[in-house]
Coordinates of all heavy atoms in Angstrom, one line a residue:
G158 N 79.4 96.3 154.1 CA 80.1 96.2 155.4 C 80.9 97.4 155.8 O 81.5 97.3 156.8
H159 N 80.9 98.4 155.0 CA 81.7 99.6 155.2 C 80.7 100.8 155.4 O 80.0 101.1 154.6 CB 82.6 99.9 154.2 CG 83.8 98.9 154.0 ND1 84.8 98.7 154.8 CD2 83.8 97.9 153.1 CE1 85.5 97.6 154.4 NE2 84.9 97.1 153.3
P160 N 80.8 101.4 156.6 CA 79.9 102.6 156.7 C 80.4 103.7 155.9 O 81.4 103.8 155.5 CB 80.1 103.1 158.3 CG 81.4 102.4 158.5 CD 81.6 101.2 157.8
I161 N 79.2 104.4 155.4 CA 79.4 105.6 154.5 C 79.4 106.7 155.4 O 78.3 107.2 156.1 CB 78.4 105.6 153.4 CG1 78.6 104.4 152.6 CG2 78.6 107.0 152.6 CD1 77.6 104.4 151.4
A162 N 80.5 107.7 155.5 CA 80.4 108.8 156.2 C 79.6 109.8 155.4 O 79.5 109.9 154.3 CB 81.9 109.4 156.4
A163 N 79.1 110.7 156.3 CA 78.2 111.8 155.6 C 78.4 113.2 156.3 O 78.8 113.2 157.3 CB 76.8 111.5 155.6
F164 N 78.1 114.3 155.6 CA 78.1 115.6 156.1 C 77.2 116.4 155.4 O 76.5 115.9 154.4 CB 79.5 116.2 155.9 CG 79.9 116.2 154.3 CD1 79.8 117.3 153.6 CD2 80.7 115.3 153.8 CE1 80.1 117.6 152.2 CE2 81.0 115.3 152.4 CZ 80.7 116.4 151.8
F165 N 76.8 117.6 155.8 CA 75.8 118.4 155.2 C 76.5 119.8 155.0 O 77.4 120.2 155.8 CB 74.5 118.4 155.7 CG 74.4 118.9 157.1 CD1 74.1 120.2 157.4 CD2 74.6 118.1 158.2 CE1 74.1 120.8 158.6 CE2 74.5 118.5 159.5 CZ 74.3 119.9 159.8
V166 N 76.2 120.6 153.9 CA 76.6 121.9 153.6 C 75.5 122.9 153.8 O 74.5 122.6 153.1 CB 77.1 121.9 152.2 CG1 77.6 123.3 151.9 CG2 78.2 120.7 152.0
R167 N 75.6 123.8 154.6 CA 74.8 124.8 154.9 C 74.9 125.9 153.7 O 75.9 126.1 153.2 CB 75.0 125.6 156.1 CG 74.8 124.7 157.3 CD 74.8 125.5 158.6 NE 74.5 124.6 159.8 CZ 73.2 124.3 160.1 NH1 72.2 124.7 159.5 NH2 73.0 123.6 161.1
K168 N 73.7 126.6 153.4 CA 73.7 127.6 152.4 C 74.6 128.7 152.8 O 75.2 129.2 152.1 CB 72.3 128.1 152.2 CG 71.4 127.0 151.4 CD 70.1 127.6 151.1 CE 69.3 126.5 150.3 NZ 68.0 126.9 149.9
K169 N 74.7 128.9 154.1 CA 75.5 129.9 154.7 C 75.8 129.5 156.2 O 74.9 128.9 156.8 CB 75.1 131.3 154.7 CG 73.8 131.6 155.3 CD 73.5 133.2 155.3 CE 72.5 133.6 156.4 NZ 72.3 135.0 156.3
P170 N 76.9 129.7 156.7 CA 77.3 129.4 158.0 C 76.3 130.0 159.0 O 75.8 131.1 158.9 CB 78.6 129.8 158.4 CG 79.3 129.9 157.0 CD 78.1 130.3 156.1
K171 N 75.9 129.1 160.1 CA 75.1 129.7 161.2 C 75.7 130.9 161.9 O 77.0 131.0 161.8 CB 74.7 128.6 162.2 CG 73.9 127.5 161.7 CD 73.4 126.5 162.7 CE 74.0 126.3 163.9 NZ 73.5 125.4 164.7
E172 N 75.0 131.9 162.4 CA 75.6 133.1 163.1 C 76.1 132.7 164.5 O 76.9 133.5 165.0 CB 74.5 134.1 163.2 CG 73.9 134.6 161.8 CD 74.9 135.4 161.0 OE1 75.7 136.1 161.6 OE2 75.0 135.3 159.9
H173 N 75.8 131.5 165.0 CA 76.3 131.1 166.3 C 76.9 129.7 166.1 O 77.1 129.2 165.2 CB 75.1 131.1 167.3 CG 74.0 130.1 166.9 ND1 73.2 130.4 166.0 CD2 73.8 128.9 167.3 CE1 72.3 129.4 165.7 NE2 72.6 128.4 166.6
G174 N 77.3 129.2 167.4 CA 78.0 127.8 167.4 C 79.4 128.0 166.7 O 80.1 128.9 166.8
A175 N 79.6 126.9 166.0 CA 80.9 126.7 165.3 C 81.0 127.6 164.0 O 82.1 127.7 163.5 CB 81.1 125.1 165.0
K176 N 79.8 128.0 163.5 CA 79.9 129.0 162.4 C 80.6 128.4 161.1 O 81.4 129.0 160.5 CB 80.6 130.3 162.8 CG 79.8 131.0 163.8 CD 80.5 132.4 163.9 CE 79.8 133.1 165.2 NZ 80.3 134.3 165.5
L177 N 80.2 126.9 161.0 CA 80.9 126.2 159.9 C 79.8 126.1 158.7 O 78.6 126.0 159.0 CB 81.2 124.8 160.4 CG 82.2 124.7 161.4 CD1 82.3 123.3 162.0 CD2 83.5 125.3 161.1
A178 N 80.2 126.1 157.5 CA 79.6 125.8 156.4 C 79.4 124.3 156.2 O 78.2 123.9 155.7 CB 80.1 126.4 155.2
I179 N 80.2 123.5 156.4 CA 80.1 122.0 156.5 C 80.1 121.7 157.8 O 80.9 121.7 158.8 CB 81.3 121.4 155.7 CG1 81.3 121.9 154.4 CG2 81.4 119.9 155.9 CD1 82.5 121.5 153.5
E180 N 79.0 120.8 158.2 CA 78.8 120.2 159.5 C 78.5 118.7 159.4 O 78.1 118.2 158.3 CB 77.7 120.8 160.2 CG 78.0 122.4 160.5 CD 77.0 123.0 161.5 OE1 76.4 122.3 162.2 OE2 76.9 124.2 161.4
G181 N 78.5 118.0 160.5 CA 78.3 116.6 160.6 C 79.4 115.7 160.7 O 79.2 114.4 160.7
L182 N 80.6 116.2 160.5 CA 81.8 115.4 160.6 C 82.2 115.0 161.9 O 81.9 115.9 162.8 CB 83.0 116.0 160.0 CG 82.8 116.4 158.5 CD1 84.0 117.2 157.9 CD2 82.9 115.1 157.7
P183 N 82.7 113.9 162.3 CA 83.1 113.7 163.5 C 84.2 114.6 164.1 O 84.9 115.2 163.3 CB 83.7 112.2 163.5 CG 83.1 111.6 162.3 CD 82.9 112.8 161.3
K184 N 84.3 114.9 165.4 CA 85.1 115.9 165.9 C 86.5 115.6 165.5 O 87.0 114.5 165.4 CB 85.1 115.8 167.5 CG 85.9 117.0 168.0 CD 85.6 117.1 169.5 CE 86.4 118.3 170.2 NZ 85.8 118.7 171.3
G185 N 87.3 116.6 164.9 CA 88.6 116.5 164.5 C 88.8 116.0 163.1 O 89.9 115.9 162.7
E186 N 87.7 115.5 162.4 CA 87.8 115.0 161.1 C 87.5 116.1 160.2 O 86.7 117.1 160.4 CB 86.8 113.9 160.9 CG 86.9 113.2 159.6 CD 86.1 111.9 159.4 OE1 85.7 111.3 160.4 OE2 85.7 111.8 158.2
T187 N 88.3 116.1 159.0 CA 88.0 117.0 157.9 C 87.8 116.2 156.6 O 87.9 115.1 156.5 CB 89.3 118.0 157.7 OG1 90.3 117.2 157.2 CG2 89.8 118.7 159.0
L188 N 87.6 117.1 155.5 CA 87.3 116.6 154.2 C 88.6 116.6 153.4 O 88.6 116.0 152.3 CB 86.2 117.4 153.4 CG 84.8 117.3 154.0 CD1 83.9 118.0 153.1 CD2 84.4 115.7 154.0
E189 N 89.7 117.1 154.0 CA 91.0 117.1 153.3 C 91.4 115.8 152.7 O 91.5 114.9 153.4 CB 92.0 117.6 154.4 CG 93.5 117.9 153.7 CD 93.7 119.0 152.8 OE1 92.9 120.1 153.1 OE2 94.3 118.9 151.9
G190 N 91.7 115.9 151.4 CA 92.1 114.7 150.7 C 91.2 113.5 150.5 O 91.4 112.4 150.0
K191 N 89.9 113.8 150.8 CA 88.8 112.9 150.6 C 88.0 113.0 149.3 O 87.9 114.2 148.9 CB 87.8 113.0 151.8 CG 88.4 112.5 153.1 CD 87.4 112.2 154.4 CE 88.2 111.7 155.4 NZ 88.0 112.3 156.6
R192 N 87.6 111.9 148.8 CA 86.8 111.8 147.6 C 85.4 111.8 148.0 O 85.0 110.9 148.8 CB 87.1 110.7 146.7 CG 88.6 110.7 146.2 CD 89.0 109.4 145.5 NE 88.0 108.7 144.7 CZ 88.0 108.9 143.4 NH1 88.8 109.6 142.7 NH2 87.0 108.4 142.6
V193 N 84.5 112.9 147.5 CA 83.1 113.0 148.1 C 82.2 113.1 146.8 O 82.6 113.4 145.8 CB 83.1 114.2 149.0 CG1 83.9 114.1 150.3 CG2 83.1 115.4 148.2
V194 N 81.0 112.7 147.1 CA 79.9 112.8 146.4 C 78.9 113.9 147.0 O 78.5 113.7 148.1 CB 79.1 111.4 146.1 CG1 77.9 111.6 145.2 CG2 80.1 110.4 145.5
I195 N 78.5 114.8 146.1 CA 77.4 115.8 146.6 C 76.0 115.1 146.2 O 75.8 114.9 144.9 CB 77.6 117.0 146.0 CG1 79.0 117.7 146.3 CG2 76.6 118.1 146.3 CD1 79.3 117.9 147.7
V196 N 75.2 115.0 147.2 CA 73.8 114.3 146.9 C 72.7 115.5 147.1 O 72.7 116.2 148.3 CB 73.6 113.2 147.9 CG1 72.2 112.5 147.6 CG2 74.6 112.2 147.6
E197 N 71.9 115.6 146.2 CA 70.7 116.5 146.4 C 69.3 115.7 146.3 O 69.5 114.7 145.5 CB 70.8 117.5 145.3 CG 71.6 118.7 145.7 CD 71.1 120.0 144.9 OE1 70.8 119.9 143.7 OE2 71.1 121.1 145.6
D198 N 68.3 116.3 146.8 CA 67.1 115.7 146.6 C 66.5 115.9 145.1 O 66.1 115.0 144.3 CB 66.0 115.9 147.7 CG 65.9 117.4 147.8 OD1 66.6 118.2 147.3 OD2 65.0 117.8 148.6
V199 N 66.4 117.3 144.8 CA 65.9 117.8 143.5 C 66.9 118.9 143.0 O 67.2 119.6 143.8 CB 64.6 118.4 143.7 CG1 64.1 118.9 142.3 CG2 63.5 117.3 144.2
T200 N 67.2 118.7 141.7 CA 68.1 119.6 141.2 C 67.4 120.3 140.0 O 66.9 119.7 139.3 CB 69.4 118.9 140.6 OG1 69.9 118.1 141.7 CG2 70.4 119.9 140.1
T201 N 67.5 121.6 139.9 CA 67.0 122.4 138.9 C 68.1 122.9 138.0 O 68.4 122.4 136.9 CB 66.2 123.7 139.4 OG1 65.1 123.0 140.3 CG2 65.4 124.3 138.2
T202 N 68.7 124.0 138.3 CA 69.9 124.4 137.6 C 71.2 124.1 137.9 O 72.2 124.1 137.3 CB 69.9 126.1 137.7 OG1 70.2 126.4 139.0 CG2 68.5 126.7 137.1
G203 N 71.3 123.5 139.2 CA 72.5 122.9 139.8 C 73.2 124.0 140.6 O 74.3 123.7 141.1
G204 N 72.6 125.2 140.7 CA 73.3 126.3 141.4 C 73.4 125.9 142.9 O 74.7 126.2 143.5
S205 N 72.6 125.4 143.6 CA 72.8 125.0 145.0 C 73.9 123.9 145.2 O 74.8 124.0 146.1 CB 71.4 124.6 145.7 OG 70.5 125.6 145.7
A206 N 73.9 123.0 144.3 CA 74.8 121.9 144.4 C 76.2 122.4 144.2 O 77.2 122.0 144.7 CB 74.5 120.7 143.4
M207 N 76.3 123.3 143.2 CA 77.6 123.9 142.9 C 78.2 124.7 144.1 O 79.4 124.7 144.3 CB 77.5 124.8 141.7 CG 77.6 124.2 140.3 SD 79.1 123.0 140.0 CE 80.5 124.2 140.2
K208 N 77.3 125.4 144.9 CA 77.8 125.9 146.1 C 78.3 125.0 147.1 O 79.3 125.1 147.7 CB 76.7 126.7 146.6 CG 76.3 128.1 146.0 CD 75.2 128.8 146.5 CE 74.9 130.0 145.8 NZ 73.7 130.7 146.1
A209 N 77.6 123.8 147.1 CA 78.2 122.7 147.9 C 79.5 122.2 147.4 O 80.4 121.9 148.2 CB 77.0 121.7 148.1
V210 N 79.6 122.0 146.2 CA 80.8 121.6 145.5 C 81.9 122.6 146.0 O 83.1 122.1 146.4 CB 80.8 121.6 144.0 CG1 82.2 121.4 143.3 CG2 79.8 120.4 143.6
E211 N 81.7 123.9 145.8 CA 82.6 124.8 146.2 C 83.1 124.8 147.6 O 84.3 124.8 147.9 CB 82.3 126.2 145.7 CG 82.1 126.4 144.2 CD 81.3 127.6 143.8 OE1 80.9 128.4 144.6 OE2 81.0 127.7 142.5
S212 N 82.2 124.7 148.5 CA 82.5 124.6 149.9 C 83.2 123.3 150.3 O 84.3 123.4 150.9 CB 81.2 124.5 150.7 OG 80.5 125.7 150.6
A213 N 83.0 122.2 149.6 CA 83.7 121.0 149.8 C 85.2 121.1 149.3 O 86.0 120.7 150.1 CB 83.1 119.9 149.2
R214 N 85.2 121.7 148.1 CA 86.6 121.9 147.6 C 87.6 122.9 148.5 O 88.6 122.6 148.5 CB 86.5 122.4 146.1 CG 86.1 121.3 145.2 CD 85.9 122.0 143.8 NE 85.7 121.0 142.7 CZ 85.3 121.1 141.6 NH1 85.1 122.5 141.2 NH2 85.2 120.2 140.7
E215 N 86.8 123.8 149.0 CA 87.5 124.8 149.9 C 88.1 124.1 151.1 O 89.1 124.6 151.7 CB 86.7 126.0 150.3 CG 86.3 127.0 149.2 CD 85.2 128.0 149.6 OE1 84.8 127.9 150.8 OE2 84.8 128.7 148.8
T216 N 87.6 123.0 151.5 CA 88.1 122.3 152.6 C 89.0 121.3 152.2 O 89.5 120.4 153.1 CB 86.9 121.7 153.5 OG1 86.3 120.7 152.8 CG2 85.9 122.7 154.0
G217 N 89.2 121.1 150.9 CA 90.3 120.0 150.5 C 89.7 118.8 150.0 O 90.5 117.9 149.7
A218 N 88.4 118.7 149.7 CA 87.9 117.6 149.3 C 87.9 117.5 147.7 O 87.9 118.6 147.1 CB 86.4 117.5 149.7
E219 N 87.9 116.4 147.3 CA 87.8 116.1 145.8 C 86.4 115.7 145.5 O 86.0 114.5 145.9 CB 88.8 115.0 145.2 CG 88.7 114.7 143.8 CD 89.5 113.5 143.5 OE1 90.3 113.0 144.3 OE2 89.5 113.2 142.2
V220 N 85.6 116.5 144.8 CA 84.3 116.1 144.5 C 84.3 115.3 143.2 O 84.7 115.8 142.1 CB 83.5 117.3 144.3 CG1 82.0 116.9 143.8 CG2 83.3 118.2 145.5
V221 N 83.8 114.0 143.2 CA 83.9 113.2 142.1 C 82.6 112.9 141.4 O 82.6 112.3 140.3 CB 84.5 111.7 142.6 CG1 85.9 111.9 143.1 CG2 83.7 111.1 143.6
L222 N 81.5 113.4 142.0 CA 80.1 113.2 141.3 C 79.2 114.0 142.0 O 79.2 114.3 143.4 CB 79.8 111.6 141.6 CG 78.4 111.3 141.0 CD1 78.3 111.4 139.6 CD2 78.2 109.9 141.6
V223 N 78.3 114.5 141.3 CA 77.1 115.0 141.9 C 75.8 114.1 141.5 O 75.6 113.8 140.3 CB 76.8 116.5 141.3 CG1 75.5 117.1 141.9 CG2 78.0 117.5 141.6
L224 N 75.2 113.7 142.5 CA 74.0 112.8 142.4 C 72.8 113.4 142.9 O 72.8 114.0 144.1 CB 74.3 111.5 143.2 CG 73.2 110.5 143.3 CD1 72.9 109.9 141.8 CD2 73.5 109.4 144.3
T225 N 71.7 113.3 142.1 CA 70.3 113.9 142.6 C 69.3 112.8 142.5 O 69.4 111.9 141.6 CB 70.0 115.1 141.8 OG1 68.9 115.7 142.3 CG2 69.7 114.8 140.2
M226 N 68.3 112.9 143.2 CA 67.2 111.9 143.1 C 66.3 112.3 141.9 O 66.1 111.4 141.2 CB 66.3 112.0 144.4 CG 66.8 111.7 145.7 SD 67.8 110.3 145.8 CE 69.4 110.7 146.5
V227 N 66.1 113.6 141.6 CA 65.3 114.0 140.6 C 66.0 115.1 139.9 O 66.3 116.2 140.6 CB 63.8 114.5 140.9 CG1 63.0 114.9 139.8 CG2 63.1 113.2 141.6
D228 N 66.3 115.1 138.6 CA 66.8 116.1 137.8 C 65.6 116.8 137.1 O 64.9 116.1 136.3 CB 67.8 115.7 136.7 CG 68.2 116.8 135.8 OD1 68.0 117.9 136.0 OD2 68.9 116.2 134.8
R229 N 65.3 118.1 137.5 CA 64.2 118.8 136.7 C 64.4 119.1 135.3 O 63.6 119.6 134.7 CB 63.8 120.0 137.6 CG 63.2 119.5 139.0 CD 62.8 120.9 139.8 NE 61.6 121.5 139.1 CZ 61.0 122.7 139.4 NH1 61.8 123.3 140.4 NH2 60.2 123.1 138.8
E230 N 65.6 118.8 134.9 CA 66.0 119.1 133.5 C 65.9 120.6 133.1 O 65.5 120.9 132.0 CB 65.3 118.2 132.6 CG 65.5 116.7 132.8 CD 64.6 115.8 132.1 OE1 63.5 115.6 132.2 OE2 65.1 115.2 131.0
E231 N 66.4 121.4 134.0 CA 66.3 122.9 133.7 C 67.8 123.4 133.8 O 67.8 124.6 134.2 CB 65.4 123.6 134.7 CG 63.9 123.0 134.5 CD 62.9 123.7 135.4 OE1 63.2 124.9 135.9 OE2 61.9 123.2 135.6
G232 N 68.7 122.7 133.4 CA 69.9 123.4 133.3 C 71.1 122.8 134.0 O 72.4 123.0 133.8
A233 N 70.9 121.8 134.9 CA 71.9 121.3 135.9 C 72.9 120.4 135.0 O 74.2 120.6 135.2 CB 71.3 120.3 136.9
T234 N 72.5 119.8 134.0 CA 73.5 119.1 133.2 C 74.5 120.0 132.5 O 75.7 119.6 132.6 CB 72.7 118.2 132.1 OG1 71.9 117.3 132.7 CG2 73.7 117.4 131.2
D235 N 74.1 121.0 132.2 CA 75.1 121.9 131.5 C 75.9 122.7 132.5 O 77.1 122.9 132.4 CB 74.2 123.2 130.7 CG 73.5 122.6 129.5 OD1 74.0 121.6 129.0 OD2 72.5 123.1 129.1
T236 N 75.4 123.0 133.7 CA 76.2 123.5 134.8 C 77.3 122.6 135.3 O 78.4 123.1 135.2 CB 75.2 123.8 136.1 OG1 74.2 124.7 135.6 CG2 76.0 124.4 137.2
F237 N 77.0 121.4 135.4 CA 77.9 120.4 135.9 C 79.0 120.1 134.7 O 80.2 119.8 135.0 CB 77.3 119.2 136.5 CG 76.6 119.6 137.8 CD1 75.2 119.2 137.8 CD2 77.1 120.3 138.8 CE1 74.4 119.5 138.9 CE2 76.2 120.6 139.9 CZ 74.9 120.2 139.9
G238 N 78.4 120.0 133.6 CA 79.3 119.8 132.4 C 80.3 120.8 132.3 O 81.5 120.6 132.0
A239 N 79.8 122.1 132.4 CA 80.8 123.3 132.3 C 81.8 123.2 133.4 O 83.0 123.7 133.1 CB 80.0 124.6 132.3
A240 N 81.5 122.6 134.5 CA 82.4 122.6 135.7 C 83.4 121.3 135.5 O 84.1 121.0 136.4 CB 81.7 122.6 136.9
G241 N 83.1 120.5 134.6 CA 83.9 119.1 134.4 C 83.5 118.2 135.4 O 84.2 117.3 135.7
L242 N 82.2 118.2 135.9 CA 81.8 117.2 137.0 C 80.9 116.3 136.5 O 79.8 116.6 135.9 CB 81.2 118.1 138.2 CG 81.9 118.8 139.1 CD1 81.1 119.8 140.0 CD2 82.6 117.8 140.0
P243 N 81.1 115.0 136.8 CA 79.9 114.0 136.5 C 78.6 114.3 137.1 O 78.7 114.6 138.5 CB 80.5 112.6 136.8 CG 82.0 113.0 137.0 CD 82.2 114.3 137.5
F244 N 77.6 114.2 136.6 CA 76.3 114.2 137.1 C 75.4 113.2 136.9 O 75.2 112.8 135.6 CB 75.6 115.8 136.6 CG 74.3 115.9 137.0 CD1 73.9 116.0 138.3 CD2 73.3 116.2 136.1 CE1 72.8 116.4 138.7 CE2 72.0 116.6 136.4 CZ 71.7 116.5 137.8
R245 N 74.7 112.7 137.8 CA 73.7 111.6 137.6 C 72.5 111.9 138.3 O 72.5 112.4 139.5 CB 74.4 110.2 138.2 CG 75.7 109.8 137.5 CD 75.5 109.4 136.1 NE 76.8 109.0 135.5 CZ 77.7 109.8 134.9 NH1 77.4 111.1 134.7 NH2 78.7 109.4 134.3
S246 N 71.4 111.1 137.8 CA 70.2 111.4 138.5 C 69.5 110.1 138.6 O 69.6 109.1 137.7 CB 69.2 112.3 137.9 OG 68.8 111.9 136.5
L247 N 68.7 109.8 139.6 CA 67.9 108.6 139.7 C 66.7 108.6 138.8 O 66.3 107.6 138.2 CB 67.4 108.2 141.1 CG 68.5 108.0 142.1 CD1 67.9 107.8 143.5 CD2 69.4 106.9 141.7
Y248 N 66.2 109.8 138.6 CA 65.0 110.0 137.8 C 65.0 111.5 137.2 O 65.8 112.3 137.6 CB 63.7 110.0 138.7 CG 63.3 108.8 139.3 CD1 63.7 108.7 140.7 CD2 62.9 107.6 138.6 CE1 63.5 107.5 141.4 CE2 62.7 106.6 139.4 CZ 63.0 106.4 140.8 OH 62.8 105.2 141.4
K249 N 64.5 111.6 136.0 CA 64.2 112.8 135.3 C 62.8 113.3 135.3 O 61.9 112.5 135.2 CB 64.8 112.8 133.9 CG 66.3 112.3 133.9 CD 66.8 112.5 132.5 CE 68.2 112.1 132.4 NZ 69.2 112.8 133.2
A250 N 62.6 114.6 135.5 CA 61.1 115.2 135.5 C 60.4 114.8 134.3 O 59.2 114.4 134.5 CB 61.3 116.7 135.6
S251 N 61.0 114.5 133.2 CA 60.2 114.1 132.0 C 59.6 112.7 132.2 O 58.6 112.3 131.5 CB 61.1 114.2 130.7 OG 62.2 113.3 130.9
E252 N 60.3 111.9 133.0 CA 59.6 110.6 133.3 C 58.5 110.7 134.0 O 57.6 109.7 133.9 CB 60.7 109.8 134.0 CG 62.1 109.5 133.4 CD 63.1 108.8 134.1 OE1 62.9 108.7 135.4 OE2 64.0 108.3 133.6
F253 N 58.2 111.8 134.7 CA 56.9 111.8 135.6 C 56.0 112.7 134.8 O 54.8 112.7 135.1 CB 57.2 112.5 137.0 CG 58.1 111.8 137.9 CD1 59.5 112.2 137.8 CD2 57.7 110.8 138.5 CE1 60.3 111.5 138.8 CE2 58.6 110.1 139.3 CZ 59.8 110.4 139.4
L254 N 56.4 113.5 133.8 CA 55.6 114.4 133.2 C 55.0 114.1 131.8 O 54.5 114.9 131.2 CB 56.2 115.8 133.2 CG 56.7 116.5 134.4 CD1 57.4 117.7 134.0 CD2 55.5 116.9 135.3
K255 N 55.2 112.8 131.6 CA 54.8 112.3 130.2 C 53.3 112.3 130.2 O 52.5 112.0 131.1 CB 55.3 110.7 130.0 CG 56.7 110.7 129.8 CD 57.2 109.3 129.7 CE 58.6 109.2 129.6 NZ 59.1 107.9 129.4
A256 N 52.7 112.7 129.1 CA 51.3 112.9 128.9 C 50.7 111.6 128.5 O 51.3 110.7 127.9 CB 51.0 114.0 127.8

């Protein structure tokens, strides 16, 4: 019964318009003081998601979890572990690649 707010993080800000790294928030709203989850479709090393984590933190958000649909199991667990971030996946690549 409660809507979930969402935003997206660009790899780099657009050259025109608002030139923001984080977009999709309602006008006047920020991530300051908010607890957020970074969601990815597929995670390999975790590098892209860590950039999103850093962008969210720079705006004052508290990142409480990184969630991916598929973990390719190529280093993301270690990346997020080293950063002290909980990491969860719905599926792991090994579940699909079983012989």
Side-chain angles (χ1 to χ4, degrees):
H159 299 282
I161 297 175
F164 60 92
F165 61 94
V166 181
R167 294 188 175 281
K168 289 183 181 181
K169 65 178 195 171
K171 291 188 336 186
E172 299 290 325
H173 60 282
K176 299 181 181 178
L177 301 173
I179 295 178
E180 295 192 27
L182 295 170
K184 188 172 184 160
E186 188 172 327
T187 70
L188 295 179
E189 180 73 34
K191 294 192 171 125
R192 294 168 43 94
V193 303
V194 175
I195 301 298
V196 179
E197 272 204 317
D198 54 352
V199 178
T200 305
T201 304
T202 65
S205 294
M207 278 305 301
K208 288 178 184 174
V210 166
E211 291 162 7
S212 291
R214 285 178 171 167
E215 286 172 5
T216 65
E219 176 189 358
V220 179
V221 297
L222 174 69
V223 177
L224 174 68
T225 187
M226 303 305 135
V227 178
D228 176 7
R229 292 184 65 191
E230 300 175 284
E231 294 183 25
T234 299
D235 294 335
T236 297
F237 300 120
L242 282 168
F244 174 59
R245 303 288 180 271
S246 64
L247 297 180
Y248 301 99
K249 297 190 180 302
S251 60
E252 295 172 348
F253 297 101
L254 302 175
K255 291 179 184 178

